[in-house]
Coordinates of all heavy atoms in Angstrom, one line a residue:
Chain B
I15 N 122.0 106.1 99.0 CA 120.8 105.5 99.7 C 120.3 104.3 98.9 O 120.0 103.2 99.5 CB 119.7 106.5 100.1 CG1 120.2 107.5 101.1 CG2 118.4 105.8 100.6 CD1 119.3 108.8 101.2
S16 N 120.1 104.6 97.7 CA 119.7 103.5 96.7 C 120.6 102.2 96.8 O 120.1 101.1 96.9 CB 119.6 104.0 95.3 OG 118.9 105.1 95.2
V17 N 121.9 102.4 96.8 CA 122.8 101.3 96.8 C 122.6 100.6 98.2 O 122.6 99.3 98.2 CB 124.3 101.8 96.7 CG1 125.3 100.7 97.0 CG2 124.5 102.2 95.2
A18 N 122.6 101.4 99.2 CA 122.4 100.8 100.6 C 121.2 99.9 100.6 O 121.2 98.7 101.1 CB 122.4 101.9 101.6
V19 N 120.1 100.5 100.1 CA 118.8 99.7 100.1 C 118.9 98.5 99.3 O 118.4 97.4 99.8 CB 117.6 100.6 99.6 CG1 116.3 99.8 99.6 CG2 117.3 101.8 100.6
I20 N 119.5 98.6 98.1 CA 119.6 97.4 97.2 C 120.5 96.3 97.9 O 120.0 95.2 98.0 CB 120.3 97.8 95.8 CG1 119.3 98.7 95.1 CG2 120.7 96.6 95.1 CD1 120.0 99.5 93.9
V21 N 121.5 96.7 98.6 CA 122.4 95.7 99.2 C 121.6 95.1 100.4 O 121.6 93.9 100.5 CB 123.7 96.4 99.7 CG1 124.5 95.4 100.6 CG2 124.6 96.8 98.6
F22 N 121.0 95.9 101.1 CA 120.3 95.4 102.3 C 119.2 94.4 101.9 O 119.1 93.3 102.4 CB 119.7 96.5 103.1 CG 118.8 96.2 104.3 CD1 119.4 95.6 105.4 CD2 117.4 96.2 104.2 CE1 118.6 95.2 106.5 CE2 116.6 95.8 105.2 CZ 117.2 95.3 106.4
V23 N 118.3 94.8 100.9 CA 117.2 94.0 100.5 C 117.8 92.7 99.9 O 117.2 91.6 100.1 CB 116.3 94.7 99.5 CG1 115.2 93.8 99.0 CG2 115.7 95.9 100.2
S24 N 118.9 92.8 99.1 CA 119.5 91.6 98.5 C 119.9 90.7 99.6 O 119.7 89.4 99.4 CB 120.7 92.0 97.7 OG 120.3 92.9 96.7
I25 N 120.6 91.1 100.6 CA 121.0 90.2 101.7 C 119.8 89.5 102.3 O 119.8 88.3 102.5 CB 121.8 91.0 102.8 CG1 123.2 91.4 102.1 CG2 122.0 90.2 104.0 CD1 123.9 92.4 103.0
V26 N 118.8 90.4 102.6 CA 117.6 89.7 103.3 C 117.0 88.6 102.4 O 116.6 87.6 102.9 CB 116.5 90.8 103.6 CG1 115.2 90.3 104.0 CG2 117.1 91.8 104.6
M27 N 116.9 89.0 101.1 CA 116.3 88.0 100.1 C 117.2 86.7 100.1 O 116.6 85.6 100.0 CB 116.2 88.6 98.8 CG 115.0 89.6 98.7 SD 114.9 90.4 97.1 CE 114.5 89.1 96.0
I28 N 118.5 86.8 100.0 CA 119.4 85.7 100.0 C 119.2 84.8 101.2 O 119.0 83.6 101.2 CB 120.9 86.1 99.8 CG1 121.1 86.8 98.4 CG2 121.8 85.0 99.9 CD1 122.3 87.5 98.2
M29 N 119.2 85.5 102.4 CA 119.0 84.8 103.6 C 117.6 84.0 103.6 O 117.5 82.9 104.0 CB 119.0 85.8 104.8 CG 120.2 86.5 105.0 SD 121.5 85.5 105.7 CE 121.0 85.5 107.4
N30 N 116.7 84.8 103.1 CA 115.3 84.2 103.0 C 115.3 83.0 102.1 O 114.7 81.9 102.4 CB 114.3 85.3 102.4 CG 113.0 85.0 102.9 OD1 112.7 84.1 103.6 ND2 112.1 85.8 102.3
Y31 N 116.0 83.1 100.9 CA 116.0 82.0 100.0 C 116.7 80.8 100.6 O 116.2 79.7 100.4 CB 116.8 82.5 98.7 CG 116.9 81.4 97.7 CD1 115.8 81.1 96.9 CD2 118.1 80.7 97.5 CE1 115.9 80.1 95.9 CE2 118.2 79.8 96.5 CZ 117.1 79.5 95.7 OH 117.2 78.5 94.8
I32 N 117.8 81.0 101.3 CA 118.5 79.9 101.9 C 117.6 79.2 102.9 O 117.5 78.0 103.0 CB 119.8 80.4 102.6 CG1 120.8 80.9 101.5 CG2 120.5 79.3 103.4 CD1 122.0 81.7 102.0
Q33 N 116.9 80.0 103.7 CA 116.0 79.5 104.7 C 114.9 78.6 104.1 O 114.7 77.5 104.6 CB 115.4 80.7 105.4 CG 115.1 80.4 106.9 CD 114.6 81.6 107.5 OE1 114.3 82.7 107.0 NE2 114.3 81.5 108.8
I34 N 114.4 79.1 103.0 CA 113.3 78.3 102.4 C 113.8 77.0 101.8 O 113.2 76.0 101.9 CB 112.6 79.2 101.2 CG1 111.8 80.2 101.9 CG2 111.7 78.2 100.4 CD1 111.1 81.2 100.9
K35 N 115.0 77.2 101.1 CA 115.6 75.9 100.5 C 116.0 74.9 101.6 O 115.7 73.7 101.4 CB 116.9 76.4 99.9 CG 116.8 76.7 98.4 CD 116.7 75.5 97.6 CE 116.5 75.7 96.1 NZ 116.0 74.6 95.4
K36 N 116.4 75.4 102.7 CA 116.8 74.5 103.8 C 115.6 73.8 104.4 O 115.7 72.6 104.8 CB 117.6 75.3 104.9 CG 118.4 74.6 105.8 CD 119.1 75.5 106.7 CE 119.7 74.9 107.9 NZ 120.1 75.8 108.8
Y37 N 114.6 74.6 104.5 CA 113.4 74.1 105.3 C 112.1 74.5 104.6 O 111.7 75.7 104.5 CB 113.4 74.7 106.6 CG 112.2 74.3 107.5 CD1 111.9 73.0 107.9 CD2 111.3 75.3 107.9 CE1 110.8 72.7 108.6 CE2 110.2 75.0 108.5 CZ 110.0 73.7 109.0 OH 108.8 73.4 109.7

Side-chain angles (χ1 to χ4, degrees):
Chain B
I15 292 165
S16 302
V17 170
V19 172
I20 291 164
V21 171
F22 175 75
V23 176
S24 302
I25 291 168
V26 171
M27 282 175 68
I28 291 165
M29 298 286 281
N30 203 7
Y31 179 77
I32 293 167
Q33 211 175 2
I34 289 178
K35 267 284 177 195
K36 197 175 161 188
Y37 173 68

